[in-house]
């Protein structure tokens, strides 16, 4: 049976047969000639046949030895080729990251050149997809996930916080103010835009502020935050969305808070996630350090903006919508 084969002896046999002598084989294998001779004797004893003819310090293969050599040298050559391919792949320095589409476009892409400039020798592949990686079946180094943590069996670290509040275009806000001076009344007149894959949606937010009624409906629903934000900036309604994804529009004034009467709900939203074994990989550590710093800079920038806009920050911790999982667009 295969498990009974002495693979070390087979390796010595293949080297002697391929190189044509014990001394050359010993040099290649990094052992003494006597050690090679001993392995050859053990290998012949295992097969019960002579594999070499010994004539005046010269070794030639017997018929049985030739048959065995043709098989073993092909097997070892294939293994050497595979090993070299694996080494070349490692030397290529590939990094594969999965991230939600809107976050990839609005947060990661504008900052990514900084990371690439710091690590020019790495080949980076980014999959912008809403589904989480299955690390047991997919080749992915790291996920940058949206959610609230708690993924069983995986290393996880929050790196970017989110702040959520109702926002709209300045023109649409003026239109609502012409109908009511009360922010709750303005909401009752507003067309609500729903981002269906966000952590905080209108159902939760309206209940939190006690805003109920038959007119509180949101006929516009999008599974891409970028689309919902663009529609709000175009003056189509009020969106309950993320300061992280809308930061540029908020800073430029294309979007404004509906009212300073409503707090910005702050929570850890974007997480580095991977199996614990991946954290020993150099590229995972390098990217983690970089995105951690980018997250700190962003959080400080967003907090300063909230102060400029006159919004209070409501820090939230823990699960508020039991049983739901979120796969950010």
């Amino acid at each position: 049976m295969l498990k009974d084969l002495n693979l070390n002896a087979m390796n010595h046999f293949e080297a002697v047969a391929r190189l044509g002598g014990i001394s050359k084989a010993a040099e290649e294998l990094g052992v003494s000639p006597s050690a090679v001779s001993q392995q050859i004797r053990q290998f012949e004893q295992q097969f019960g046949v002579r594999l070499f003819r010994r004539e005046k310090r010269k070794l030639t293969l017997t018929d049985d030895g030739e048959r065995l050599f043709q098989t073993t040298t092909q097997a070892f050559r294939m293994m050497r080729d595979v090993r070299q391919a694996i080494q070349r792949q490692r030397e290529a320095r590939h990094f594969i990251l999965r991230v939600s589409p809107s976050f990839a476009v609005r947060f990661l892409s504008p900052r990514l050149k900084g990371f690439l400039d710091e690590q020019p020798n790495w080949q980076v592949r980014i999959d912008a997809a809403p589904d989480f990686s299955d690390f047991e079946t997919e080749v992915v180094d790291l996920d940058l996930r949206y959610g609230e943590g708690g993924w069983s069996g995986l290393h996880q670290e929050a790196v970017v916080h989110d702040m959520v509040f109702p926002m709209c275009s300045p023109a649409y806000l003026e239109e609502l103010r012409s109908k009511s001076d009360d922010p709750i009344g303005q909401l009752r007149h507003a067309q609500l835009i729903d981002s269906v894959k966000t952590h905080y949606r209108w159902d939760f937010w309206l209940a939190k502020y006690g805003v109920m009624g038959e007119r509180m409906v949101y006929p516009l629903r999008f599974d891409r935050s970028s689309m919902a934000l663009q529609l709000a900036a175009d003056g189509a309604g009020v969106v309950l969305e993320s300061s992280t994804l809308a930061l540029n529009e908020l800073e430029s004034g294309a979007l404004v808070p509906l009212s300073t009467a409503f707090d910005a709900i702050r929570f850890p939203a974007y997480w580095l996630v991977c199996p614990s074994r991946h954290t020993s990989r150099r590229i995972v550590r390098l990217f983690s350090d970089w995105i951690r710093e980018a997250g700190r800079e962003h959080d400080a920038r967003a907090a300063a903006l909230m102060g400029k806009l006159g919004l209070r920050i409501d820090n939230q911790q823990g699960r508020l919508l039991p049983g739901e999982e979120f796969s950010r667009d």
Side-chain angles (χ1 to χ4, degrees):
M1 296 178 66
L2 185 59
K3 67 179 182 179
D4 297 326
L5 288 176
N6 185 331
L7 296 181
N8 188 43
M10 181 183 294
N11 188 33
H12 285 67
F13 162 76
E14 190 274 340
V16 171
R18 173 167 47 83
L19 298 172
I22 288 177
S23 296
K24 291 181 180 179
E27 183 178 354
E28 178 180 282
L29 296 171
V31 297
S32 66
S34 61
V36 175
S37 297
Q38 182 179 6
Q39 290 292 328
I40 295 300
R41 285 195 297 271
Q42 291 178 359
F43 204 46
E44 289 180 325
Q45 290 171 3
Q46 185 177 27
F47 276 85
V49 296
R50 282 194 171 276
L51 301 175
F52 293 99
R53 295 188 185 90
R54 297 164 177 82
E55 301 173 351
K56 297 181 181 180
R57 296 185 178 182
K58 182 179 179 181
L59 293 179
T60 59
L61 287 167
T62 64
D63 290 343
D64 289 328
E66 182 65 36
R67 291 171 59 193
L68 185 58
F69 171 67
Q70 293 300 325
T71 300
T72 56
T73 194
Q74 182 178 2
F76 280 112
R77 183 170 58 250
M78 292 173 64
M79 286 190 287
R80 284 191 292 267
D81 290 345
V82 169
R83 183 180 64 184
Q84 290 172 0
I86 292 173
Q87 289 175 338
R88 285 195 300 270
Q89 185 177 13
R90 286 180 177 175
E91 291 168 0
R93 293 189 172 187
H94 291 281
F95 175 54
I96 302 176
L97 173 73
R98 178 163 293 172
V99 60
S100 57
S102 291
F103 186 75
V105 172
R106 288 178 168 259
F107 182 94
L108 188 61
S109 292
R111 296 168 172 83
L112 190 59
K113 184 177 183 297
F115 176 72
L116 299 178
D117 288 344
E118 292 176 10
Q119 308 299 335
N121 296 323
W122 288 93
Q123 296 183 23
V124 177
R125 169 180 165 180
I126 296 180
D127 291 337
D131 299 323
F132 299 154
S133 297
D134 182 346
F135 290 102
E136 298 305 316
T137 62
E138 297 179 272
V139 181
V140 179
D141 291 296
L142 195 62
D143 266 13
L144 196 46
R145 291 188 182 180
Y146 174 81
E148 55 185 343
W151 295 284
S152 178
L154 294 172
H155 168 81
Q156 51 207 279
E157 175 190 357
V159 290
V160 179
H161 285 72
D162 219 348
M163 286 184 280
V164 173
F165 54 90
M167 58 188 80
C168 61
S169 70
Y172 194 76
L173 180 57
E174 288 303 313
E175 182 182 333
L176 294 177
R177 286 175 174 173
S178 70
K179 297 176 182 179
S180 174
D181 294 329
D182 175 38
I184 299 298
Q186 293 165 7
L187 270 175
R188 294 186 185 278
H189 288 287
Q191 179 161 257
L192 304 186
I193 302 169
D194 188 25
S195 289
V196 301
K197 289 188 177 181
T198 57
H199 184 73
Y200 290 98
R201 293 181 61 190
W202 279 116
D203 284 342
F204 167 81
W205 193 92
L206 295 173
K208 173 179 171 68
Y209 283 96
V211 184
M212 308 299 291
E214 62 181 14
R215 296 195 62 186
M216 299 313 302
V217 296
Y218 29 96
L220 302 177
R221 298 169 180 260
F222 297 92
D223 70 347
R224 292 290 183 271
S225 287
S226 294
M227 296 178 66
L229 287 166
Q230 184 61 56
L231 202 62
D234 290 340
V238 178
V239 67
L240 182 67
E241 255 297 347
S242 155
S243 64
T244 299
L245 301 184
L247 196 63
N248 289 337
E249 288 87 349
L250 290 167
E251 289 181 332
S252 70
L255 287 171
V256 295
L258 177 67
S259 173
T260 56
F262 305 127
D263 297 342
I265 302 174
R266 182 178 186 271
F267 63 99
Y270 294 93
W271 303 70
L272 291 175
V273 180
C274 65
S276 295
R277 64 182 182 273
H278 287 199
T279 60
S280 64
R281 297 179 184 175
R282 183 167 181 265
I283 187 58
V284 170
R285 295 196 304 271
L286 290 171
F287 183 83
S288 297
D289 290 343
W290 176 80
I291 195 67
R292 197 179 291 118
E293 180 60 27
R296 283 193 290 263
E297 292 176 357
H298 164 80
D299 286 355
R301 177 180 167 189
L305 178 61
M306 296 305 102
K308 183 178 179 180
L309 295 174
L311 289 176
R312 296 185 304 271
I313 296 175
D314 179 7
N315 287 290
Q316 296 286 332
Q317 298 292 334
R319 182 181 286 274
L320 293 176
L321 299 178
E324 290 201 34
E325 292 294 333
F326 300 88
S327 178
R328 183 62 140 160
D329 65 89

